[in-house]
Amino acid sequence: MSTNSIPAKNDKGKVVVSWTGGKDSCLACYGAISEGFEVSHLLNFSEIQRHCSHDISPDLLYAQAEALGIPLIQKDFTSYEQEFKKVVRDLRNNGGKIDGAVFGHIKTHKNLVDRICEDLGLELIMPLWQRNSEQILNGLIDLGLEVILLSVKADLLGKEWLGRKIDENFIRDLKKHNPSIDPCGENGEFHTFVTDCPLFKYKIKFMESKIVLRGGYWFLEISKFKAERK
């Protein structure tokens, strides 16, 4: 598949995507569309009780949604499961047809999303499940995704890793730095943001940022950005 082409829709059904702004949710979204699903909404949830180290500004998430041309629903939650179910039920009550849900999980949370989809009668779609982390990174590089690190665990990675693009050099340098770190950050070692992908109409470019230490993570806080048409 050409990295510059948008996969054709084959009408396998309408789905929602659990969206974090990072590489895994974007790759899962791309994978679902490639398989013929139509994405009706991106769903993003932020935990009320805990200011997560990888919380991304809603403005950035909405910029991604606009670049994709897919509506984003952003909600705070005390229970992810209950809020996810509520959003899907509300969409259905307003006439929306939702056949499945897409998640970018690789190794964790399978029981949770199994339960959510079973209770809602949704098809569970997990394009990255149980895949090798390094193969996932090589795949996103081959597809032409531009992914940068927005936060890193301070006791594992220094602040100089912030803003790094995931490319062949990143994979090599990460192995050299600490081979025990999962290449996809599956154990919370780092969190990412997608600034460009084949599905985007715009590329997101950071203009102003600052580095902060919060909750044991170095975080690249973006204060100004712009969307550039490709």
Side-chain angles (χ1 to χ4, degrees):
M1 182 182 296
S2 168
T3 58
N4 295 317
S5 64
I6 295 178
K9 293 178 181 176
N10 299 318
D11 197 25
K12 284 184 70 175
K14 288 191 175 182
V15 298
V16 292
V17 173
S18 178
W19 188 261
T20 65
K23 58 180 173 44
D24 299 338
S25 61
C26 188
L27 272 176
C29 181
Y30 187 98
I33 293 173
S34 299
E35 292 169 20
F37 293 97
E38 179 183 350
V39 178
S40 68
H41 293 83
L42 308 175
L43 308 184
N44 174 263
F45 300 93
S46 180
E47 190 170 357
I48 293 172
Q49 302 298 332
R50 185 169 61 93
H51 193 67
C52 297
S53 60
H54 55 287
D55 273 352
I56 293 174
S57 162
D59 290 342
L60 285 170
L61 298 172
Y62 281 107
Q64 288 178 320
E66 187 173 344
L68 282 167
I70 300 172
L72 171 75
I73 297 174
Q74 204 282 327
K75 296 284 187 179
D76 293 333
F77 73 90
T78 51
S79 164
Y80 175 88
E81 179 176 354
Q82 295 307 315
E83 193 61 40
F84 193 101
K85 290 177 182 177
K86 182 180 184 303
V87 168
V88 171
R89 286 171 178 145
D90 287 347
L91 287 170
R92 283 174 164 171
N93 288 339
N94 288 324
K97 182 178 184 291
I98 301 174
D99 304 297
V102 181
F103 299 89
H105 302 310
I106 301 172
K107 299 174 184 175
T108 59
H109 307 303
K110 180 73 160 54
N111 290 340
L112 171 64
V113 295
D114 272 338
R115 187 169 63 246
I116 288 172
C117 288
E118 184 177 351
D119 288 353
L120 292 170
L122 295 173
E123 179 180 354
L124 173 59
I125 302 145
M126 298 178 72
L128 307 183
W129 183 247
Q130 297 283 306
R131 285 179 54 190
N132 174 272
S133 289
E134 191 167 337
Q135 289 178 356
I136 289 173
L137 291 195
N138 286 323
L140 75 83
I141 293 167
D142 290 343
L143 282 171
L145 272 74
E146 186 175 280
V147 181
I148 62 100
L149 270 62
L150 266 197
S151 67
V152 299
K153 198 171 183 183
D155 60 355
L156 291 175
L157 295 163
K159 59 185 176 182
E160 67 274 8
W161 287 84
L162 292 173
R164 280 280 303 256
K165 290 182 182 179
I166 290 185
D167 54 17
E168 293 86 352
N169 291 333
F170 171 82
I171 298 172
R172 183 198 65 220
D173 292 346
L174 190 65
K175 280 184 179 179
K176 186 177 178 180
H177 175 75
N178 186 341
S180 71
I181 294 178
D182 183 271
C184 279
E186 265 298 280
N187 301 306
E189 300 97 330
F190 60 87
H191 301 285
T192 61
F193 182 82
V194 178
T195 55
D196 193 17
C197 92
L199 299 175
F200 282 14
K201 294 176 289 185
Y202 309 98
K203 179 177 179 177
I204 298 169
K205 185 176 180 180
F206 298 156
M207 306 297 291
E208 294 178 10
S209 64
K210 65 178 179 179
I211 293 173
V212 298
L213 184 62
R214 185 171 68 234
Y217 280 78
W218 287 112
F219 194 86
L220 188 64
E221 211 164 69
I222 310 303
S223 55
K224 186 178 180 181
F225 66 91
K226 68 178 180 178
E228 293 182 340
R229 184 172 285 279
K230 298 194 286 184

